[in-house]
């Protein structure tokens, strides 16, 4: 109970301490299967933000057989990260495509330290910054279960194969998890329990965001 209160107070402290000028820019963070896509949709509807999911954009490019899609496919099929330069350039042009946005939900980006630095640079060029990183926390066995279960409806080859799923989780631990330190260093990180009913998890995210100035 005491720990819960401290956690809530930390959200209040972190989010009210942000001098958000006019946009809310949220990094929704977490391992594959943590629920970033599902929760992003709910956040987008509630706060009228633009949802930028790098995984979705890559998949769209694969479907449309663009050069970017062809390049990304081999990395994605193996559960590895698409190279930074490619991903950063893609994100940059997506950002520029929404000049009127009230803010963004970054889902699946940044996934490496160079991506986090590049994102700060892109936003600072627009005199904006990241408001919060909200990190959905889910234990590994649950992630595997969710991804394998999701394969039946997502049709994603990278969800249905246990060795690819495990590689994605390992890549997350090795290359992506350290990105949290970058936001902790800026007092922008907050962990959200990603276990429970979907509505419960959404409410945890909403309460964190609602404290943004
Ligand atoms: P997701 O839909 O977020 O699970 O992403 C699916 C796949 O797309 C990942 O396993 C990576 O291969 C690729 N991908 C998505 N976002 C990024 C990123 N920010 N950096 C590198 N690769 C990415």
């Amino acid at each position: 109970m005491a720990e819960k209160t401290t956690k809530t107070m930390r959200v209040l402290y972190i989010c009210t301490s942000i001098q958000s000028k006019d946009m809310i820019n949220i990094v929704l963070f977490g391992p594959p299967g943590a629920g970033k896509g599902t929760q992003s949709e709910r956040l987008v509807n509630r706060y009228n933000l633009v949802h930028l999911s790098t995984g979705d954009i890559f998949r769209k490019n694969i479907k449309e057989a663009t050069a970017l899609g062809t390049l990304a496919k081999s990395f994605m099929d193996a559960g590895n990260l698409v190279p930074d330069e490619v991903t950063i350039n893609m994100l940059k042009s997506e950002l520029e495509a929404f000049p009127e946005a009230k803010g963004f939900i970054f889902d699946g980006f940044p996934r490496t330290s160079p991506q986090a630095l590049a994102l700060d640079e892109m936003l600072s060029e627009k005199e904006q910054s990241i408001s919060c990183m909200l990190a959905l926390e889910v234990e590994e066995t649950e992630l595997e279960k969710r991804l394998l279960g999701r394969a039946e409806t997502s049709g994603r080859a990278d969800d249905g194969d246990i060795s690819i799923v495990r590689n994605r989780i390992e890549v997350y631990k090795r290359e992506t998890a350290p990105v949290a330190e970058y936001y902790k260093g800026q007092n922008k990180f907050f962990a959200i329990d990603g276990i429970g009913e979907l509505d419960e998890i959404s409410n945890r995210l909403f309460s964190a965001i609602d404290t943004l100035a």
Side-chain angles (χ1 to χ4, degrees):
M1 181 66 183
E3 197 190 324
K4 253 201 168 144
T5 312
T6 315
K7 261 190 163 184
T8 309
M9 287 174 69
R10 258 184 69 210
V11 176
L12 285 170
Y13 169 71
I14 290 168
C15 292
T16 48
S17 67
I18 292 163
Q19 295 304 306
S20 134
K21 289 169 223 99
D22 36 10
M23 285 170 78
I24 305 177
N25 294 307
I26 293 162
V27 174
L28 191 56
F29 193 67
K36 299 187 295 296
T38 307
Q39 294 297 337
S40 287
E41 276 176 34
R42 292 163 167 235
L43 297 180
V44 160
N45 291 337
R46 184 172 166 110
Y47 298 100
N48 195 21
L49 303 173
V50 173
H51 179 202
L52 289 185
S53 156
T54 39
D56 284 352
I57 302 165
F58 283 134
R59 279 184 290 276
K60 185 166 176 276
N61 275 274
I62 291 174
K63 215 168 156 193
E64 293 170 357
T66 66
L68 175 64
T70 310
L71 194 155
K73 190 174 184 323
S74 58
F75 296 99
M76 292 173 76
D77 283 351
N80 293 322
L81 295 184
V82 178
D84 278 340
E85 201 191 335
V86 176
T87 308
I88 291 168
N89 285 337
M90 177 187 84
L91 201 272
K92 193 167 186 168
S93 54
E94 288 290 326
L95 259 187
E96 283 162 6
F98 296 97
E100 304 300 328
K102 283 179 61 191
F104 293 91
I105 303 274
F106 297 97
D107 160 9
F109 186 95
R111 258 172 154 107
T112 63
S113 300
Q115 290 181 17
L117 289 168
L119 180 58
D120 269 359
E121 230 170 79
M122 286 178 230
L123 290 175
S124 78
E125 278 169 20
K126 294 149 66 76
E127 298 190 358
Q128 297 296 335
S129 58
I130 289 298
S131 314
C132 262
M133 168 182 268
L134 302 176
L136 290 169
E137 294 191 336
V138 176
E139 59 172 39
E140 207 166 315
T141 46
E142 173 68 14
L143 295 174
E144 288 184 6
K145 209 172 85 192
R146 286 188 189 178
L147 290 169
L148 293 171
R150 185 173 82 178
E152 291 172 22
T153 48
S154 72
R156 281 175 55 173
D158 61 345
D159 282 346
D161 179 316
I162 187 65
S163 64
I164 298 173
V165 162
R166 290 199 172 136
N167 185 45
R168 286 166 67 198
I169 295 171
E170 284 312 307
V171 167
Y172 171 81
K173 289 198 273 191
R174 193 176 62 238
E175 300 183 48
T176 304
V179 175
E181 300 306 315
Y182 180 73
Y183 292 93
K184 282 179 192 168
Q186 299 182 5
N187 268 352
K188 290 181 178 176
F189 175 89
F190 192 74
I192 303 285
D193 182 359
I195 299 285
E197 296 296 322
L198 289 182
D199 285 348
E200 261 172 6
I201 302 166
S202 305
N203 286 333
R204 290 175 198 143
L205 293 165
F206 296 161
S207 344
I209 296 167
D210 287 346
T211 57
L212 284 168

